[in-house]
Amino acid sequence: MTPATVPTVFVIDDDALVRAAIQGMLKSVGLRSETFATPQEFLHNKRPDGPSCLILDVRLPGVNGLDFQRELADAGFRIPIIFITGHGDIPMTVRAMKSGAIEFLTKPFRDQDLLDAIHQALDRDRMARQQQGELAGLRKCYESLTAREREVMGLVVTGMLNKQIAFDLGTSEITVKIHRGHVMHKMQADSLAQLVRMAAKLEIPASKK
């Protein structure tokens, strides 16, 4: 694996024994991990650019893990979170899960339950990163289009024919056909259906004359 594909499990827990136990368990199954006593230590740490998840204690000195989950989301920091706690209750669990947590485990928990949650979290993060990479590639292709090509694309994805687009834009059908070809080539689209899906992912509004 390259550094960008090696998964990392982050652990935030103020109990050194818990951090050591989780890190030892992860090492035994070949998973890389980094541990922190506080959320501040985690935020100040430079994180590897690979799939990751966060094991987060609910009760931490000076901060609530659920509040920290919200702070991360508000800051645009997307990372799958697995909560662990010695004092959980149903409302707390519901709040965590509604906010996107992968799992909410009450101490003491089985190693396998934590490992199952970790693998689920890492799979989710891999998928999210893949989707983000694909979207970034689409945006790069779209940015390579000229203003007129973007206009043509916006009309093409509505299902309009070349002659209808030509009428709308006040140009010839041949010119529209050329622009359409450039759009398909630059967007690396093999079909109209694929171009429509690309436009949907990019949230491109349909062009209007």
Side-chain angles (χ1 to χ4, degrees):
M1 288 187 179
T2 65
T5 59
V6 174
T8 303
V9 179
F10 299 105
V11 182
I12 303 178
D13 195 303
D14 61 320
D15 189 327
L17 292 178
V18 171
R19 294 198 304 272
I22 292 176
Q23 191 163 40
M25 184 267 292
L26 294 174
K27 185 177 181 180
S28 71
V29 295
L31 282 171
R32 182 181 185 277
S33 64
E34 295 182 19
T35 64
F36 309 91
T38 67
Q40 290 73 27
E41 289 180 16
F42 169 73
L43 291 175
H44 293 154
N45 181 67
K46 180 175 174 58
R47 290 172 292 277
D49 186 25
S52 61
C53 67
L54 173 61
I55 299 173
L56 179 62
D57 192 6
V58 173
R59 299 183 186 274
L60 295 165
V63 64
N64 180 289
L66 296 171
D67 292 337
F68 185 59
Q69 177 190 32
R70 188 182 65 250
E71 289 174 17
L72 289 176
D74 291 345
F77 188 93
R78 307 298 176 191
I79 183 171
I81 296 176
I82 300 162
F83 279 105
I84 56 175
T85 182
H87 310 280
D89 56 38
I90 292 176
M92 194 182 292
T93 304
V94 170
R95 178 182 167 188
M97 301 304 283
K98 279 187 173 181
S99 296
I102 297 292
E103 185 58 275
F104 195 102
L105 299 174
T106 302
K107 302 173 185 175
F109 45 78
R110 295 191 314 130
D111 286 354
Q112 191 58 51
D113 289 339
L114 180 58
L115 282 174
D116 289 345
I118 288 170
H119 287 305
Q120 181 184 346
L122 292 175
D123 286 344
R124 179 185 292 187
D125 199 44
R126 284 190 191 94
M127 185 175 297
R129 287 170 179 272
Q130 181 180 347
Q131 291 172 346
Q132 289 167 3
E134 291 173 356
L135 185 57
L138 282 180
R139 284 180 178 144
K140 187 174 181 180
C141 289
Y142 185 69
E143 288 168 2
S144 72
L145 301 180
T146 64
R148 178 44 66 96
E149 286 167 354
R150 292 182 189 183
E151 197 171 11
V152 169
M153 178 175 171
L155 294 170
V156 165
V157 296
T158 66
M160 291 177 66
L161 301 175
N162 288 348
K163 62 181 179 181
Q164 295 171 316
I165 296 173
F167 179 79
D168 257 25
L169 299 181
T171 188
S172 70
E173 190 174 342
I174 292 296
T175 299
V176 170
K177 187 175 181 179
I178 292 172
H179 285 313
R180 185 169 182 156
H182 289 166
V183 169
M184 298 295 286
H185 175 71
K186 291 182 180 180
M187 293 301 298
Q188 301 175 28
D190 297 325
S191 65
L192 174 58
Q194 187 178 11
L195 190 68
V196 170
R197 288 193 295 270
M198 290 175 172
K201 288 180 181 178
L202 290 167
E203 298 181 347
I204 298 171
S207 298
K208 294 180 180 179
K209 181 65 178 173

